[in-house]
Amino acid sequence: IQPWDSKDDETIIRPPSPTNFRASIDGDQLSIDAGADEHAYVEVIDPETGGVIADEEFVGETTMYIQQSGDYELYIYTESGVVLSGEFEVK
């Protein structure tokens, strides 16, 4: 592995562009915005049981309703193979 801009090599390696994914929770409403025409799959998992609470394949954006209060893990799988994760709480 070399630094992103090694002076020993004329090749400059650039990190991948950041994703445009945004996830937010408002009460029991989980909103995910993937940017225009981005295909993705999302899973909401209860970390205590390992059970999938909600899952959906979507393009662009989606809204999911989480019925039970508690702590959850969010996984977003992009079409390019990137996996994004996070945690949130529904009160």
Side-chain angles (χ1 to χ4, degrees):
I1 298 177
Q2 65 182 16
W4 293 115
D5 57 352
S6 174
K7 294 179 182 172
D8 297 335
D9 188 355
E10 292 184 22
T11 304
I12 296 175
I13 301 171
R14 300 278 183 223
S17 299
T19 65
N20 292 325
F21 285 81
R22 289 183 176 78
S24 62
I25 186 82
D26 184 12
D28 65 349
Q29 183 176 325
L30 174 64
S31 299
I32 301 169
D33 184 352
D37 299 328
E38 183 75 33
H39 294 237
Y41 173 75
V42 62
E43 283 183 333
V44 176
I45 296 177
D46 181 339
E48 289 184 15
T49 66
V52 176
I53 302 302
D55 65 332
E56 183 178 335
E57 187 172 333
F58 67 97
V59 176
E61 61 184 270
T62 188
T63 300
M64 305 169 89
Y65 295 92
I66 311 301
Q67 302 297 323
Q68 293 284 90
S69 61
D71 295 324
Y72 296 97
E73 295 175 349
L74 171 68
Y75 295 93
I76 302 170
Y77 303 89
T78 69
E79 189 173 44
S80 63
V82 173
V83 179
L84 306 165
S85 65
E87 298 174 349
F88 65 95
E89 178 182 8
V90 174
K91 295 183 178 184

